[in-house]
Each structure stands twice: as C-alpha cells, then as structure tokens.
Amino acid sequence: MSLHRVAITGRGAVSPFGLGVTSLVEGVWAGRSAIRYMEEWADVDGLNCRIAAPVPEFDYKKLLPRAVRRTMGPMAVHATLAAKEAIGDAGLSDEAVTSEETGIVIGSTTGSASAFEEFYSKYLPDKRLAEIKSGEFFKMMGHSCSANVSLALGITGEQWAPVSACTSSSQAIGLAYLLIQTGRQQVVLCGGADEAHASVTGVFDLLRAASNQNDDPENSCRPFDKNRSGVVCGGGSGILVLENMESALARGTKIYGEIVGFGNVNDSTHIANPDKNSMARAMQRAMGEASLAGSDIDYVNAHATGTDLGDVAEACAIASVVDSKTPVSSFKGHIGHTLGAAGSLEMMILLEMLAKNEVIPTRNLDSIDPRCSVVQLQREVSSIALNTVLKNNFALGGVNTSIAIRRVD
C-alpha cells in the first residue's frame, strides 16, 4: 500500500497567554511566563502547590451559541475555539469540514475537572441527583472535547479521543498522521485540551512532583535547572489541521511542516517513574520511520517538566540518539505543563521556530543540573537553521511519544 505524505496546514490555540496562536507566540517570544499564584485555591486543605498557568478569563458566551456550549466544560469550549481558528488558518471550506473525508482526534487527561467538581459537590455526601442537570455528563465524559467539537463543527468523519494524560495530544497528532498516511481520511483536526484545576495539581502534589515555589510563580517551573522543584500545571487547547500533502499542495495553502515519523512506545517497568530507554526508543522509532540519523536532527523539543527524575532521564535519552551539539529546550517555563494539551500547544511554538529559524530557550534555566548537561541546552534565543526537528512528550502510565517534523519549502 502506498502511504500518503502528511502536511500541517492549520493552527489554533487557546493558551495560558490567551486566545489565539498570535497571543501564544508573542508571549513566548517575549520570554514571559503565564504562571501565576492561584488565590482561589487557598481553601484547598493539604494542597502545597498553589501556582498554575490557567487560561485567562474571557466571555466565551459571545463566541459560541448556547445550543453548542450547553454540554461543554471549559476545556471543550477552548478546544472548539482552537479548532475554529485552525480551520480558518487552513482555509478549509464548510463543505470540506463537514465531509466524511475530514475526521477529528482530540485527547485529554480526563473530562472537565471543574464539571466533576460541580457534579460530585451536589451528589455527595447525601447521594442526591435531583439538582444535577442532564447535560453535566457530556462535560465529564472522556471524549468530551472530540464529541463537542464534532457537534459544533458538523464533523462526520472518524472521531477518536486518546486519553493518556500528558501524551493525549501528541498521541492525537500521531493518530491523525496515521489516518491520513493510510488514506482513511484526507483531513484531520487533531490536538488536545485540559484545565488548570486544584484537583489536577493535587495529583502531582500527592506524587511529590509539583512545585511548591508559591512565592515566585513566574520562576517556579525550571526544567533542567539544578534548583528545579517540580511540575506547574497549566490549561488550554491546541488544535492542528493535518492534511494529505497532495491536497494541501493542490489548494495552494500554507504548509507549516510535514510530519515524517511518529514513535509511540510503552514502558511497563513502573507506572510513574520515567525510563530513559523507552524515551530513546520513541525517538528512534520516529527517526527510523523517516529514515533519519541522529545527525539529521536540528533541534529537540523536550517534554522536560521540571522534575528531578524526568529531566535527567530525558536528557540522557536525547544524548543517546542525536548529536551532542543538537539544541534542546523545553517550553514548560513559559506556559507550565498543559497536560493533555502539551503536545499540541508546544507544537505551535515549534512550528513558529521552524518558520523563523529561531530556537526558544528553556525559561528559568539559570544553573544547569550537571546530570542534564549531556545535551546542548539552550539558554537564550538563537538563530539556527532548522529543517528537521523532534517533539517529545511522555506520560504517567508508561506512554512515550516522539514526532519528527520536517520543513516544507
């Protein structure tokens, strides 16, 4: 069977910097951090981490009709707005969007965390259902984002919804790539979404993996730094339009890059601890699929969340598969760890780097952990010719992903 090439033709974002890809790009290139102290979490007993990178408040009721948003939690709202921006950016017609040739793959860690809180605050402790509206379930279900976006946009092609924590959107992008590569779909909207919520941060707190640097939010997330203190969660949604390359070229639309390889491997040694060998295998799978050698990789965008075990394991894994001079950085210091949206939101930044031939450094990397110095960590914006790059994302539960992207001139 002949495999089709896969182009990236549209981008849409709702990020901790606000609505739209432009807000995300401007915030990152300005070197800002979207992480802030969460005063609303002050009454959560036992929560040590009180910082996050949430989406700034906005009046979504003016942007979406009630008929579609009544079954949406915040993350589905964000995903719908990001999808609409991506469709407009790709120049897709209404007929193309609603065609059976267009599918959707949107992942998330869970359904809406705020919807879960709303539901169980009424259900417990007296097990009462009387006050709960019928639409609440649709905000909570695991495929809430893909289902609600499909309904809002009239998607009739294939619908998928990876639920794999921090790799949800990278798996979504990889699956969309496979759907187009094999000819099952011509176009796929793909990415992920998640919410900044006390209960989500609390999970990392319980694992002793969350930062408690509450007195200095903007400098709290420090990937690869020897003084890093852990994860800072964020929220938002990133949606990409992936398209059959022949279709994209025929339409004459802008092509942000071509996905040429996808590595997706499992580590069954521990449900929480990272494994450098599995990380390396994911990168090697992505590179092998594209017939790439380590010397072909111009940059690696690290998952690097600011944890002691994760950063060191990833640095060692990267060092084992690419050249020692290959630039490496993480975007978590800018937007926090947006969990199910991390792969797609960070991909937006990576695609902008490809367009500008500039590498964004790791924010807050003041003093490199010697154990992470096995790779070429970036500490300032650099002008570097970028043609082929890797995008890493890893998740609790042993999921390891890597995506290879190539410039299309």
Side-chain angles (χ1 to χ4, degrees):
M1 180 178 65
S2 177
L3 297 177
H4 301 281
R5 295 171 63 191
V6 180
I8 304 170
T9 59
R11 306 178 302 172
V14 175
S15 79
F17 284 117
L19 299 180
V21 174
T22 299
S23 296
L24 172 62
V25 167
E26 288 179 349
V28 170
W29 257 260
R32 301 200 306 270
S33 171
I35 298 171
R36 67 173 178 84
Y37 182 75
M38 304 292 287
E39 294 183 3
E40 55 269 49
W41 293 359
D43 61 348
V44 181
D45 185 33
L47 183 66
N48 297 305
C49 177
R50 300 181 185 274
I51 48 180
V55 173
E57 291 187 9
F58 64 94
D59 190 356
Y60 62 90
K61 294 180 180 179
K62 293 182 178 180
L63 302 175
L64 293 173
R66 185 181 183 282
V68 297
R69 58 178 165 80
R70 60 181 293 273
T71 56
M72 293 181 179
M75 56 199 291
V77 168
H78 298 162
T80 303
L81 294 175
K84 290 168 72 70
E85 182 186 18
I87 289 168
D89 186 40
L92 294 175
S93 66
D94 290 343
E95 291 76 16
V97 172
T98 57
S99 163
E100 291 185 8
E101 297 298 322
T102 296
I104 188 167
V105 188
I106 302 179
S108 60
T109 301
T110 65
S112 169
S114 57
F116 274 104
E117 180 180 26
E118 178 73 10
F119 180 94
Y120 284 104
S121 66
K122 293 177 180 177
Y123 178 69
L124 298 174
D126 300 322
K127 296 186 178 181
R128 289 178 54 82
L129 290 171
E131 298 177 9
I132 299 173
K133 296 179 180 179
S134 60
E136 292 304 300
F137 168 74
F138 301 106
K139 302 175 185 179
M140 298 163 56
M141 60 189 188
H143 65 304
S144 177
C145 291
S146 63
N148 275 293
V149 175
S150 295
L151 182 65
L153 302 180
I155 302 295
T156 60
E158 297 192 35
Q159 181 192 154
W160 296 80
V163 178
S164 57
C166 312
T167 53
S168 296
S169 59
S170 56
Q171 281 197 324
I173 295 167
L175 177 53
Y177 158 74
L178 296 174
L179 289 172
I180 294 171
Q181 189 183 54
T182 55
R184 291 177 66 101
Q185 300 279 246
Q186 289 293 307
V187 176
V188 180
L189 302 175
C190 60
D194 248 314
E195 296 174 22
H197 191 272
S199 65
V200 178
T201 289
V203 170
F204 289 93
D205 224 4
L206 292 170
L207 291 170
R208 299 181 181 178
S211 173
N212 58 4
Q213 198 173 330
N214 299 320
D215 57 343
D216 189 12
E218 292 188 0
N219 298 309
S220 59
C221 187
R222 317 180 66 84
F224 300 122
D225 193 276
K226 72 177 183 180
N227 296 314
R228 62 194 180 280
S229 57
V231 174
V232 179
C233 294
S237 177
I239 302 295
L240 297 167
V241 174
L242 268 55
E243 185 172 351
N244 181 301
M245 180 67 79
E246 292 181 6
S247 168
L249 292 173
R251 292 197 305 115
T253 191
K254 180 175 181 177
I255 298 174
Y256 290 100
E258 177 183 3
I259 296 181
V260 293
F262 173 50
N264 182 38
V265 307
N266 187 55
D267 162 38
S268 59
T269 59
H270 197 283
I271 198 165
N273 291 346
D275 176 64
K276 64 181 180 181
N277 295 323
S278 298
M279 293 174 172
R281 285 195 299 120
M283 288 182 274
Q284 289 165 341
R285 285 286 184 92
M287 293 163 59
E289 194 166 88
S291 299
L292 297 168
S295 57
D296 296 321
I297 304 302
D298 299 312
Y299 166 80
V300 179
N301 179 237
H303 182 65
T305 62
T307 64
D308 186 68
L309 293 177
D311 290 2
V312 174
E314 185 173 10
C316 292
I318 293 170
S320 72
V321 298
V322 303
D323 285 355
S324 60
K325 295 184 179 180
T326 302
V328 176
S329 67
S330 165
F331 304 144
K332 301 293 194 300
H334 295 82
I335 60 173
H337 186 1
T338 54
L339 305 171
S344 51
L345 280 176
E346 292 167 2
M347 182 75 85
M348 310 280 171
I349 304 168
L350 181 54
L351 293 173
E352 191 70 14
M353 282 175 39
L354 273 178
K356 295 178 181 292
N357 279 310
E358 291 182 349
V359 171
I360 291 295
T362 302
R363 196 182 194 277
N364 303 325
L365 183 54
D366 298 330
S367 182
I368 296 174
D369 182 337
R371 297 171 296 169
C372 299
S373 62
V374 292
V375 291
Q376 191 66 39
L377 295 170
Q378 298 298 292
R379 298 175 63 182
E380 58 185 25
V381 177
S382 306
S383 295
I384 299 174
L386 299 175
N387 290 298
T388 306
V389 298
L390 288 179
K391 172 78 194 86
N392 290 343
N393 287 103
F394 312 116
L396 297 172
V399 189
N400 298 269
T401 67
S402 187
I403 302 172
I405 307 103
R406 182 161 55 204
R407 174 193 298 277
V408 176
D409 292 321

